[in-house]
Amino acid sequence: MSVATDKRNGGAVRGWLGRQPLPVRLALVALFVVAGYLLPYVGSIPVIGPQIVTQGIDWPSALFNMSYYVLLALGLNVVVGFAGLLDLGYVGFFAVGAYVTALLTSPDSILHTEWAWLASIPIALAVTMLAGVLLGWPTLRLRGDYLAIVTLGFAEIIRIVATSTEVLRGERGFSSIPHPPGQGSDGKPIFGVADATPYFWLGLTVILLVIVGVRNLDRSRVGRSWLAIREDEEAAELMGVRTIKYKLWAFAIGAFIGGLGGIIWAGNQNFINSATFQLQFSILVLAGVVMGGSGNIAGAILGGALISYIPDRLRGIEFGDTDLYEYRFAIFGAAIILIMVLRPQGLIPSRRRAMELKDRQKEVAPQ
């Protein structure tokens, strides 16, 4: 990659950061994290704040929405970006996490367990990972369009089961799902319905933990195996990479992160039903991963935040007599098309993916 291209792709910033001493890099990361936790108060900044905060939805709620979209984008990035497995049914894992939480905690459940929200997490995550393996196992020999169709079917099966079975209660759903635990110094619950700020902080904390875990995996033997599978699965198999094992790893880890998003979301909403888990949710998250930069953690974070922020930012903005929120999908679609035309590698591409795109452009139009 040329120096000029590297700079255009954000390589200059990454290179500068990489040349800094370790204490400086740690200080910059700590500063960035602190700024993230202070986001609920950005509206108080003169001039800048009002241009950023949302109008039709309170700012902490918009931030919480962004947090679980970012979480889902990070999980889907493992499957699509790292392992190269096109998954159109990712909403299914989000639904499994939320439904297992509801079944274990809600008084509407036929199980009548009524566990605390915290106690349901290990079971919900285990079931979601199992769902990821169950989806991955029969699709191990599929790729590309065929894999996309099968995963699409998985999401539809989850939705149909949730709609038509008495156990999952269809549109009646589950109510009174408990909030996360915790009390303030005044004895009031930290996590309630009046203020979404604690939920955003919870979501941000989970995101940071997921980033650490995914980053370590990407730099380990597992990550190198995912890269080999994404580049050329047959060649990877010939070179001794256990493709079945690492593809299942990708599905299970992606499902784990998606289920985590569903668990947090169920605890915030207090109610779920089958109408929540539509296919467009999966497509939206996939669009965020591609738009931000597939295969790059920073890109997935930016893409996940944008797919949540742009529609919420349009709420309450009037154009003539029309609320722009009504045209959110059209505006969002136009934004995606524009980004893909100008930056097909995504807003923050991975170096490796940017090099691939450049090589393909040379093959199409040799100079």
Side-chain angles (χ1 to χ4, degrees), residues 8 11 16 19 23 76-77 85 108 125 141-142 150 202 210 215 217 220 227 231 243 257 259 278 312 319 338 345 351:
R8 284 199 299 272
W16 176 83
R19 291 190 295 273
L76 188 58
N77 187 51
L85 305 170
D108 297 327
L125 289 177
R141 297 296 174 189
L142 301 178
V150 172
L202 174 64
V210 167
R215 190 168 178 270
L217 275 175
S220 69
L227 171 63
E231 295 299 312
T243 56
I257 300 172
Q278 301 295 324
D312 281 345
F319 185 76
L338 186 64
Q345 70 274 37
R351 292 181 179 180

Side-chain angles (χ1 to χ4, degrees), residues 230-306:
R230 181 168 66 82
E231 295 299 312
D232 191 328
E233 185 178 338
E234 293 177 354
E237 199 162 1
L238 288 173
M239 294 299 292
V241 175
R242 298 171 65 184
T243 56
I244 291 178
K245 172 185 174 181
Y246 291 111
K247 286 168 78 173
L248 287 177
W249 263 98
F251 273 113
I253 292 170
F256 176 90
I257 300 172
L260 204 51
I263 293 166
I264 296 173
W265 184 82
N268 169 264
Q269 295 294 306
N270 199 229
F271 171 81
I272 65 167
N273 68 1
S274 59
T276 309
F277 308 103
Q278 301 295 324
L279 178 62
Q280 66 181 28
F281 198 87
S282 288
I283 297 172
L284 199 59
V285 176
L286 180 60
V289 172
V290 175
M291 185 171 66
S294 179
N296 188 18
I297 293 176
I301 293 171
L302 179 62
L306 285 178

Side-chain angles (χ1 to χ4, degrees), residues 131-331:
V133 174
L134 290 177
L135 171 65
W137 187 263
T139 62
L140 291 174
R141 297 296 174 189
L142 301 178
R143 64 185 69 174
D145 300 343
Y146 300 101
L147 179 60
I149 291 171
V150 172
T151 53
L152 190 68
F154 167 73
E156 278 299 282
I157 289 171
I158 295 288
R159 187 186 65 80
I160 291 170
V161 169
T163 302
S164 58
T165 59
E166 185 61 28
V167 174
L168 299 184
R169 297 173 59 84
E171 293 188 356
R172 288 178 297 155
F174 295 89
S175 61
S176 302
I177 298 172
H179 297 291
Q183 289 185 339
S185 57
D186 56 357
K188 293 182 180 178
I190 296 174
F191 298 92
V193 295
D195 185 8
T197 300
Y199 284 102
F200 167 66
W201 286 336
L202 174 64
L204 183 57
T205 305
V206 173
I207 286 169
L208 293 173
L209 294 174
V210 167
I211 289 172
V212 172
V214 170
R215 190 168 178 270
N216 286 335
L217 275 175
D218 184 39
R219 296 186 173 192
S220 69
R221 182 174 182 175
V222 176
R224 292 192 292 274
S225 299
W226 285 339
L227 171 63
I229 292 169
R230 181 168 66 82
E231 295 299 312
D232 191 328
E233 185 178 338
E234 293 177 354
E237 199 162 1
L238 288 173
M239 294 299 292
V241 175
R242 298 171 65 184
T243 56
I244 291 178
K245 172 185 174 181
Y246 291 111
K247 286 168 78 173
L248 287 177
W249 263 98
F251 273 113
I253 292 170
F256 176 90
I257 300 172
L260 204 51
I263 293 166
I264 296 173
W265 184 82
N268 169 264
Q269 295 294 306
N270 199 229
F271 171 81
I272 65 167
N273 68 1
S274 59
T276 309
F277 308 103
Q278 301 295 324
L279 178 62
Q280 66 181 28
F281 198 87
S282 288
I283 297 172
L284 199 59
V285 176
L286 180 60
V289 172
V290 175
M291 185 171 66
S294 179
N296 188 18
I297 293 176
I301 293 171
L302 179 62
L306 285 178
I307 59 173
S308 174
Y309 176 72
I310 292 176
D312 281 345
R313 185 68 184 85
L314 294 173
R315 291 177 191 263
I317 298 179
E318 299 286 340
F319 185 76
D321 296 330
T322 305
D323 189 340
L324 287 181
Y325 184 71
E326 297 178 16
Y327 296 96
R328 61 191 182 282
F329 289 118
I331 296 172

